[in-house]
Amino acid sequence: MGRDHGRESSAFDAVAEAAGGESAGAGHGALDVVMEGLRRLEYRGYDSAGVAVISEQGIESRKKAGKLSNLVGELAADPLPRSMTGIGHTRWATHGGPTDQNAHPHLADEGRLALIHNGIIENYAELKAELTDQGLTFVSDTDTEVAAGLLGHLYRTLRDQGAEGDLLTRALQQACQRLEGAFTLLAIHEDQPGTVVAGRRNSPLVVGLGEGENFLGSDVSGFIDFTRRAVELGQDQIVTITPDDVVISDFYGTPAEGTEFHVDWDAAAAEKGGFASFMEKEIHDQPDAVGQTLLGRSDTAGNLVLDELRIDESILRSVDKIVVLACGTSAYAGQVAKYAIEHWCRIPTEVELSHEFRYRDPIVNEKTLVVAISQSGETMDTLMAVRYAREQGAKVVAICNTNGSTIPRESDAVLYTHAGPEIAVASTKAFLAQITAAYLLGLYLAQLRGNKYRDEIADVMADLAAIPAKIQTILDNADTIKALGADMANAKSVLFLGRHVGFPVAMEGALKLKELAYIHAEGFAAGELKHGPIALIEQGQPVVVVMPSQSARDSLHAKVVSNVQEIRARGAITIVIAEEGDTSVEAYSEHVFYVPASPTLLAPLLTTVPLQIFALALASAKGYDVDQPRNLAKSVTVE
Ligand code: AGP
């Protein structure tokens, strides 16, 4: 360790999350690696940012409130010395406001130790009192500084006792034994240049393996420029990285193993690909996201093969209820999937908001199949709901877009979507990929339980296979909906109406507009209109209507046409998303945007796209940052 071949470790972190370590055998300075990692991971949260390195003079740190660019300015004005060991962090504030003082890293042991943290330490007040009684003082409002103080205190105690060896790892093991809550901690100490130590519980952390350099990151996009070899870690683990070594243990020092995997997308995929924003790029990624998620899911005989679905078939056959657990857009994907799964499998399917689920004393047992839908795989609300469901005996399948993340690791099986990295905070391609994966799961269950014959499944798979090209058609003809979004930049509110599978699409369209344009938007079931919401309709009120196909069941189309007439009669500006050829709506619509025809249950994979484009165009016309909307983070890793 130490300055062996001049190579040491550096690390970076993002969104109050994970961290990394890199020994620059390849000549990358720690700061270069850390800042590149923070740049790639800033989307996960951007209230403040900071870095710390170990130089000849010991620990040196810079940190600033606001976006990463503020830290870049600070470093330009007051540069750090070149170093091969460092950590960095962007923060999404939980404890304490987004100020310079509260930004990470936090220092301890008289400035000889630097620490960064993701999560919430639930017993920080108790620990702070204990440490204060021992003479420690604190300058910030954060739970993180308490963790730093605890670690520094334990490190110093070991040192004063004459302990030898890797004291930082031992001190972090002891500290993690004391902490309650969710955390990923990353620390460096000037006594141990070349060493970065991290500990995690309920919070993301992934290792990057380089040649003479090693990394840690909130997710692999942090070190994708330097390596694609990664190791996922388990719960309650400590990892110590040095230029040539990665050592994993539990909180008590017992050696442990991680699982190595290859990152199957490159740095370019995480860049904007020539689009003005990640948001726009990812909307245009959607044909591929759906196509890749479908890839390789059936064998030559036409049977569905979901190789990651490692749950005994007899258990899947005995399932008598499905509970979808998710939040936000992922919950709307679950709501869309519910229609298909119940129609195909005849299994009662409930869609629950994760944060509500475990507090309502739900009826869950060994015959319940839980489907946890999460793009990031780190949403704390969903992770905790999954844990609760498993404690009740349920089997859990994760539908996730992030390899090596926590929710799949804590599930009984996983169906990965292959949408590629979704960088923009507002989810788009992951939403379509989630619906696609949920449909695959539904078809698999229908196949297994005999609800559908192989040829019926083949028909649906053929319809799904045609979806990417249909999405592309929408993208190639999006100028009118883009122009409409820009024209409505001054709208104060927009309502969204949908019915059947169009109802969750309306909800998702409203959420996109809220997230991106910060205006009031509300989605609701078209049939609900006359039960109250129609009171909202006044002259000039924009209403987006997701029109069912004319071939949809139960004459839903006629009913929604009536709804359009009702709101139009009261002055609404009607913006209708309809199936190509459906000219019946034109008489009542200010604007009609057509999507290609598709079977009813697959329509959401198409009707959602114009709503995404509309929200993006409206927010862009307002000049907002569509990739990092205010107050949001890409992965909500606190409850
Ligand atoms: C979607 O645009 C939002 N960013 C948010 O609602 C998100 O879908 C939700 O936080 C769930 O995230 P997950 O899919 O990573 O679990």
Side-chain angles (χ1 to χ4, degrees), residues 344 439 460 462-465 467 501 598-607:
W344 292 333
Y439 282 5
V460 178
D463 290 334
L464 278 168
I467 290 295
V501 288
S598 73
T600 297
L601 291 173
L602 305 193
L605 294 168
L606 302 176
T607 54

Side-chain angles (χ1 to χ4, degrees), residues 327-330 373-377 379 425-427 434 511-512 515 634 636:
C327 301
T329 289
S330 299
I373 302 178
S374 176
Q375 188 287 132
S376 63
T379 297
V425 167
S427 183
Q434 288 165 347
L511 178 59
K512 288 283 99 44
E515 288 189 281
K634 183 60 183 173
V636 183

Side-chain angles (χ1 to χ4, degrees), residues 305-478:
V305 177
L306 304 186
D307 41 17
E308 309 102 325
L309 197 59
R310 299 175 304 277
I311 295 181
D312 189 283
E313 289 189 356
S314 62
I315 292 175
L316 293 175
R317 285 196 185 91
S318 69
V319 162
D320 63 8
K321 177 163 81 168
I322 292 174
V323 176
V324 177
L325 298 177
C327 301
T329 289
S330 299
Y332 297 140
Q335 287 187 22
V336 169
K338 167 190 166 78
Y339 291 91
I341 293 174
E342 287 190 334
H343 182 63
W344 292 333
C345 306
R346 312 310 295 156
I347 304 173
T349 301
E350 298 169 9
V351 182
E352 290 281 348
L353 291 173
S354 305
H355 39 79
E356 288 289 323
F357 173 68
R358 60 195 173 113
Y359 299 108
R360 68 166 184 78
D361 196 13
I363 300 164
V364 175
N365 57 40
E366 67 287 347
K367 286 184 176 292
T368 306
L369 179 65
V370 163
V371 181
I373 302 178
S374 176
Q375 188 287 132
S376 63
E378 299 297 350
T379 297
M380 190 59 70
D381 289 322
T382 303
L383 175 61
M384 291 303 160
V386 161
R387 286 213 177 128
Y388 179 88
R390 295 194 76 200
E391 285 162 10
Q392 308 306 310
K395 290 294 182 194
V396 180
V397 178
I399 291 179
C400 184
N401 195 48
T402 308
N403 192 314
S405 57
T406 306
I407 291 172
R409 199 164 49 243
E410 297 208 11
S411 299
D412 298 291
V414 59
L415 205 46
Y416 278 113
T417 52
H418 296 292
E422 188 175 72
I423 308 299
V425 167
S427 183
T428 50
K429 61 179 182 175
F431 177 66
L432 296 198
Q434 288 165 347
I435 293 172
T436 305
Y439 282 5
L440 288 168
L441 177 63
L443 290 169
Y444 181 81
L445 291 171
Q447 169 183 285
L448 195 63
R449 299 160 65 103
N451 300 85
K452 275 199 169 294
Y453 299 116
R454 196 175 356 182
D455 58 345
E456 292 174 307
I457 290 171
D459 290 346
V460 178
M461 288 300 285
D463 290 334
L464 278 168
I467 290 295
K470 293 181 176 180
I471 297 172
Q472 193 58 53
T473 300
I474 296 168
L475 297 172
D476 295 343
N477 298 279

